[in-house]
Amino acid sequence: GAISSTHPIKKKSIKLKDKTFFATRFEFGSFKMGEDLISHGCTPRKSLTLEYPLKMSEKYFPAFIHGYFDGDGCAHVDKNNKAFSISILGTPSFLNSVKERLNKYKIETSEIKNDGSKAFNIRILRGGTIAFFNLIYKKSKDSYLLDRKHDKFVKIYDVKSRKDGKG
């Protein structure tokens, strides 16, 4: 690929409370790439340290929040396909900036909350789930989609459409 890494791609399971999540990991050993990423604000444990990139043009917000959501967001549909939720993790200052920008797209969020872990989160309120889906996926190329999350959004949209009598 583009970085010419020969390291293997590793898969592992992560237990969090009573749930198991699956993660994929790869490593590369390029000091230059590491320095470049750090110079652009990539830091270890970004969910606990990241600040919003103030120099970023607002026109890139949909792509930015899409990428961030793929890394530190959650779309959940319950097993009965009746309830759904969308949340984004981060630092309070980062989430405040995200809330302000989502508000410009008429997407309401909850207040910033902490569930007892080190990270904070906001939830997209029910009326904003479809608007958020459209914001992050409308102009995305299929090759940029994280299928697992996109598929949950499609399921959420189907649930909402049925509830609203649109499906």
Side-chain angles (χ1 to χ4, degrees), residues 130 133 152-162:
I130 302 307
F133 174 87
K152 283 186 180 181
F153 262 107
V154 170
K155 192 181 257 189
I156 288 169
Y157 182 76
D158 288 345
V159 169
K160 182 150 178 57
S161 293
R162 278 185 262 130

Side-chain angles (χ1 to χ4, degrees), residues 71-91:
D72 273 337
C74 179
H76 175 75
V77 181
D78 76 359
K79 63 183 175 183
N80 298 318
N81 287 335
K82 291 185 178 179
F84 48 89
S85 64
I86 298 167
S87 61
I88 301 171
L89 299 174
T91 62

Side-chain angles (χ1 to χ4, degrees), residues 3 7 20 37 56 67 84 92 108 137 148 157:
I3 61 173
H7 293 277
T20 301
L37 289 170
M56 182 181 70
F84 48 89
E108 291 184 62
Y137 293 120
R148 177 175 49 88
Y157 182 76

Side-chain angles (χ1 to χ4, degrees), residues 123-156:
R123 295 196 180 279
I124 306 293
L125 301 178
R126 285 185 183 225
T129 56
I130 302 307
F132 187 73
F133 174 87
N134 289 331
L135 174 69
I136 68 173
Y137 293 120
K138 191 172 185 179
K139 293 183 181 180
S140 259
K141 296 179 182 177
D142 286 345
S143 60
Y144 297 143
L145 299 177
L146 185 58
D147 290 336
R148 177 175 49 88
K149 291 196 179 176
H150 181 263
D151 292 350
K152 283 186 180 181
F153 262 107
V154 170
K155 192 181 257 189
I156 288 169

Side-chain angles (χ1 to χ4, degrees), residues 46 50-53 56-75 86-109 120-124 128-140 144-146 149-150 153:
K46 71 177 176 5
L50 186 67
E51 296 296 325
Y52 190 83
M56 182 181 70
S57 170
E58 290 297 320
K59 72 180 180 180
Y60 298 120
F61 178 73
F64 172 79
I65 200 62
H66 177 182
Y68 189 82
F69 177 78
D70 277 353
D72 273 337
C74 179
I86 298 167
S87 61
I88 301 171
L89 299 174
T91 62
S93 64
F94 177 84
L95 293 173
N96 267 323
S97 295
V98 169
K99 280 173 63 70
E100 287 173 17
R101 281 151 185 89
L102 287 173
N103 194 302
K104 291 178 184 177
Y105 288 91
K106 308 285 189 253
I107 299 171
E108 291 184 62
T109 64
F120 291 79
N121 70 70
I122 55 173
R123 295 196 180 279
I124 306 293
T129 56
I130 302 307
F132 187 73
F133 174 87
N134 289 331
L135 174 69
I136 68 173
Y137 293 120
K138 191 172 185 179
K139 293 183 181 180
S140 259
Y144 297 143
L145 299 177
L146 185 58
K149 291 196 179 176
H150 181 263
F153 262 107

